[in-house]
């Protein structure tokens, strides 16, 4: 199973970016999917989570600005980021809990990360 994240880049404060993460490989079902981020010198932080049914949760610092979504038919996860702030600068990672077969265990897989830089 591979996760490929894309969509990062350089944007000015108050701008927007949309991150994508495509899962491929031996996939029976994808359960929860998440976006994390890690800023320089800081620990990795859970930004947003979405269940297979579409329920979402966000860290307080991004509520009202970021929207997590997924397309189950395409095994793709998204993060729409609006009203970006300089403190959102980080490497963003996607993660997915994947079952490879019916009634099999769920394993966590990670994407390679995509850099988001917000300038003032």
């Amino acid at each position: 199973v591979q996760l490929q994240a894309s969509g990062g880049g350089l944007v000015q404060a108050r701008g927007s970016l949309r991150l994508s993460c495509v899962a491929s490989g031996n996939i029976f079902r994808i359960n929860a999917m998440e976006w994390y981020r890690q800023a320089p010198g800081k620990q990795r932080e859970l930004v947003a989570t979405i269940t297979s049914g579409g329920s979402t949760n966000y860290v307080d610092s991004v509520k009202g600005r970021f929207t997590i979504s997924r397309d189950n038919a395409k095994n793709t996860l998204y993060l729409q980021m609006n009203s970006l702030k300089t403190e959102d600068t980080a490497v963003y990672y996607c993660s997915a809990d994947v079952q490879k077969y019916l009634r099999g265990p769920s394993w966590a897989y990670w994407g390679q990360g995509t850099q988001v830089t917000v300038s003032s």
Side-chain angles (χ1 to χ4, degrees):
V1 177
Q2 298 83 37
L3 272 64
Q4 181 68 44
S6 62
L10 174 63
V11 63
Q12 288 189 328
R14 296 177 297 279
S16 298
L17 281 175
R18 188 192 196 204
L19 306 184
S20 300
C21 175
V22 180
S24 61
N26 184 16
I27 298 171
F28 172 74
R29 178 189 292 132
I30 301 178
N31 297 312
M33 303 182 82
E34 300 92 16
W35 286 102
Y36 289 78
R37 66 185 179 186
Q38 188 166 19
K42 295 187 177 181
Q43 290 188 330
R44 189 169 295 189
E45 172 187 46
L46 176 61
V47 175
T49 301
I50 185 167
T51 67
S52 57
S55 297
T56 59
N57 273 296
Y58 300 89
V59 67
D60 286 346
S61 60
V62 308
K63 285 181 180 177
R65 300 188 298 121
F66 290 11
T67 302
I68 189 171
S69 61
R70 62 192 285 173
D71 184 333
N72 292 329
K74 296 180 180 179
N75 289 337
T76 301
L77 174 70
Y78 303 99
L79 185 67
Q80 178 66 44
M81 306 185 294
N82 298 328
S83 301
L84 282 161
K85 304 176 180 180
T86 55
E87 51 263 44
D88 295 319
T89 294
V91 178
Y92 284 70
Y93 299 89
C94 55
S95 178
D97 297 329
V98 178
Q99 279 179 270
K100 293 186 176 182
Y101 51 91
L102 181 64
R103 288 188 288 276
S106 182
W107 299 94
Y109 291 88
W110 290 83
Q112 83 288 4
T114 185
Q115 176 71 47
V116 173
T117 303
V118 185
S119 63
S120 59

